[in-house]
C-alpha cells in the first residue's frame, strides 16, 4: 500500500487526507484472502481521464494483471478506484464518477467516512455517513 501512496504522490498529486486501513472479506465473490481497504483525498492538477490512466499504470506496476469483466470479480493485488472527482459527474465507457457502486459497499464507505463523512453524493443527495448508515449490517 505504501508503494501505491508513493506512486500517487509522484505522478498524480499530493495526498491531503488518508483513512486508516480496513481489513475486510471478499464481497461479490469467494476468496480465501482478506482485503485491505483505505480512502485517500488527492489534490491534482490533472483531469479525471489522466488520473485514470496513471492509476491503471500504477496498478499494473504493482502486479495487477487483469480488470474485472462484466462485474465478475476475483482477487487482485491492487485496485485503485476514483470515487469522486471534484464532484463532477462523468459517464464514459471507461470511467464513471461518482463510482457507480460505492453506495452499496461498506468496504468503500467506511474508510471514506473517516475522511469525508459529510461529503454529499451529487446524484443520490446523501452524505457519506448517511450512505454508510443505510447499508444492511
Amino acid at each position: 500500500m505504501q508503494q501505491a501512496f508513493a506512486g500517487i504522490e509522484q505522478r498524480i498529486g499530493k495526498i491531503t487526507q488518508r483513512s486508516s486501513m480496513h481489513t475486510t472479506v471478499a464481497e461479490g465473490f469467494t476468496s480465501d484472502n482478506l482485503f485491505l481497504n483505505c480512502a485517500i483525498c488527492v489534490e491534482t492538477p490533472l483531469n479525471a481521464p489522466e488520473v485514470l490512466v496513471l492509476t491503471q499504470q500504477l496498478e499494473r506496476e504493482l502486479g495487477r494483471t487483469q480488470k474485472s469483466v462484466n462485474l465478475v470479480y476475483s482477487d487482485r493485488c491492487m485496485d485503485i478506484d476514483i470515487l469522486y472527482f471534484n464532484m463532477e459527474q462523468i459517464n464514459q465507457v471507461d470511467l464513471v464518477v461518482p463510482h457507480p457502486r460505492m453506495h452499496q459497499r461498506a468496504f468503500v464507505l467506511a474508510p471514506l467516512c473517516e475522511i469525508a463523512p459529510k461529503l454529499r453524493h451529487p446524484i443520490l443527495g446523501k452524505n457519506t455517513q448517511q450512505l454508510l448508515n443505510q447499508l444492511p449490517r
Side-chain angles (χ1 to χ4, degrees):
M1 197 70 82
Q2 293 304 321
Q3 289 176 304
F5 295 147
I8 289 167
E9 289 221 304
Q10 290 169 356
R11 301 171 196 189
I12 297 170
K14 180 177 171 39
I15 296 174
T16 60
Q17 294 182 75
R18 183 168 76 185
S19 75
S20 63
M21 300 294 173
H22 293 245
T23 303
T24 60
V25 296
E27 190 172 309
F29 66 99
T30 303
S31 175
D32 293 331
N33 300 307
L34 294 175
F35 291 77
L36 192 58
N37 301 280
C38 75
I40 61 173
C41 180
V42 179
E43 283 183 9
T44 181
L46 306 174
N47 64 38
E50 291 169 327
V51 170
L52 178 65
V53 167
L54 292 171
T55 57
Q56 289 178 338
Q57 179 184 53
L58 186 56
E59 286 175 338
R60 286 189 303 275
E61 290 171 12
L62 294 174
R64 179 141 186 191
T65 57
Q66 63 184 7
K67 290 297 240 178
S68 303
V69 178
N70 297 323
L71 299 180
V72 175
Y73 302 105
S74 61
D75 287 351
R76 52 229 180 254
C77 59
M78 182 58 58
D79 185 25
I80 303 171
D81 288 326
I82 300 172
L83 303 177
Y84 291 114
F85 196 92
N86 295 329
M87 301 317 291
E88 294 175 24
Q89 294 180 40
I90 303 168
N91 195 356
Q92 300 174 351
V93 172
D94 58 345
L95 179 62
V96 178
V97 176
H99 189 285
R101 290 172 300 285
M102 66 181 279
H103 65 285
Q104 302 166 334
R105 297 173 168 172
F107 68 88
V108 172
L109 293 173
L112 183 59
C113 202
E114 285 183 25
I115 64 172
K118 298 194 182 307
L119 183 63
R120 189 161 301 283
H121 192 290
I123 298 169
L124 302 176
K126 295 181 180 179
N127 68 37
T128 309
Q129 186 67 63
Q130 291 168 324
L131 293 171
L132 180 60
N133 289 345
Q134 77 183 15
L135 290 177
R137 298 199 182 231

